[in-house]
Amino acid sequence: ILNVEQSPQSLHVQEGDSTNFTCSFPSSNFYALHWYRWETAKSPEALFVMTLNGDEKKKGRISATLNTKEGYSYLYIKGSQPEDSATYLCALAGYGGSQGNLIFGKGTKLSVKP
Amino acid sequence: GAVVSQHPSWVICKSGTSVKIECRSLDFQATTMFWYRQFPKQSLMLMATSNEGSKATYEQGVEKDKFLINHASLTLSTLTVTSAHPEDSSFYICSPRREIYEQYFGPGTRLTVT
């Protein structure tokens, strides 16, 4: 079973701080890495899908990078705002050539204090 | 686009009773539906995969006679937890897939069995 690790488990920052968290995985044998943002009582919301080593994606103040050779992806949030408070999940798709299923990490819970 | 509803959002039931969870993709058709559950401090784990009109495929350790999945149409899938027990208390979330590697999520159902 592939183990997708996310760190830290939780993070508390002040409004305006920039922050980043990590998703690490032991194998590059997958099709895509997904980042989701999950607010309490809502559906997980897709942020990014990355497929290639060196991929960088950006959406507003949030960006992500993928390094399949060293087995990690970073998610960055610049100038955190209270509305960024959520759990951020990463997931691998297509592990081992399978065409279904996402293998999730446990998530990083971000709390941004005003 | 890509709105997914899931009902109920939370349910408390007595041990031995059955609970039905309904998942609808409101603005797209989903040929494949994934059902996940999440225990406290754990990651989302796949329970079963179903394709419209076909029997569901269950992951190892998930009892197919206990967790009945019906995927009768491209916009509706149900998960019935039969003869629920306290150890079935968990967070259940559906994930309809629109295209390969394009998955969306419902907001989830918190099940508590007393």
Side-chain angles (χ1 to χ4, degrees), chain A residues 9 31-32 34 36 38 41-44 46 49 89 93-94 97-106, chain B residues 4 34 36 38 41-46 49 59 91 93 95 97 100-108:
Chain A
Q9 260 189 353
Y31 175 78
H34 294 244
Y36 289 90
W38 194 6
K42 294 186 178 179
S43 303
V49 182
L89 300 175
S98 69
Q99 292 196 355
N101 191 22
L102 292 170
I103 300 175
F104 285 90
K106 293 181 182 179
Chain B
V4 181
F34 300 95
Y36 293 84
Q38 184 181 38
K41 298 190 186 299
Q42 299 300 312
S43 56
L44 288 166
M45 293 293 290
L46 182 69
T49 304
E59 295 299 298
F91 185 81
I93 191 167
S95 178
R97 186 170 71 183
I100 191 164
Y101 303 125
E102 187 178 344
Q103 272 177 246
Y104 299 93
F105 292 87

Side-chain angles (χ1 to χ4, degrees), chain A residues 37-45 83 85, chain B residues 4 6 9 91 93 105-109:
Chain A
R37 180 172 176 276
W38 194 6
E39 288 183 74
T40 303
K42 294 186 178 179
S43 303
E45 171 198 355
E83 56 265 31
S85 297
Chain B
V4 181
Q6 190 174 334
S9 55
F91 185 81
I93 191 167
F105 292 87
T109 298

Side-chain angles (χ1 to χ4, degrees), chain B residues 10-76:
Chain B
W10 60 270
V11 57
I12 301 172
C13 70
K14 291 187 176 178
S15 188
T17 60
S18 296
V19 173
K20 181 185 279 189
I21 301 169
E22 185 180 281
C23 176
R24 291 183 184 270
S25 52
L26 299 181
D27 55 357
F28 68 98
Q29 294 184 329
T31 53
T32 301
M33 181 70 74
F34 300 95
W35 284 93
Y36 293 84
R37 65 182 169 185
Q38 184 181 38
F39 292 107
K41 298 190 186 299
Q42 299 300 312
S43 56
L44 288 166
M45 293 293 290
L46 182 69
M47 296 176 66
T49 304
S50 73
N51 292 300
E52 184 257 341
S54 302
K55 285 186 179 179
T57 303
Y58 292 81
E59 295 299 298
Q60 195 171 9
V62 179
E63 299 173 53
K64 62 181 174 66
D65 294 329
K66 182 172 189 58
F67 298 98
L68 302 180
I69 291 172
N70 184 292
H71 191 176
S73 79
L74 292 173
T75 58
L76 173 63

Side-chain angles (χ1 to χ4, degrees), chain A residues 62-114:
Chain A
I62 306 177
S63 59
T65 61
L66 177 62
N67 185 324
T68 58
K69 291 184 179 179
E70 295 186 28
Y72 64 82
S73 174
Y74 289 147
L75 188 79
Y76 301 91
I77 302 179
K78 184 178 178 182
S80 304
Q81 300 296 308
E83 56 265 31
D84 296 328
S85 297
T87 295
Y88 291 82
L89 300 175
C90 77
L92 298 187
Y95 174 66
S98 69
Q99 292 196 355
N101 191 22
L102 292 170
I103 300 175
F104 285 90
K106 293 181 182 179
T108 292
K109 186 172 182 179
L110 174 66
S111 299
V112 183
K113 285 187 177 177

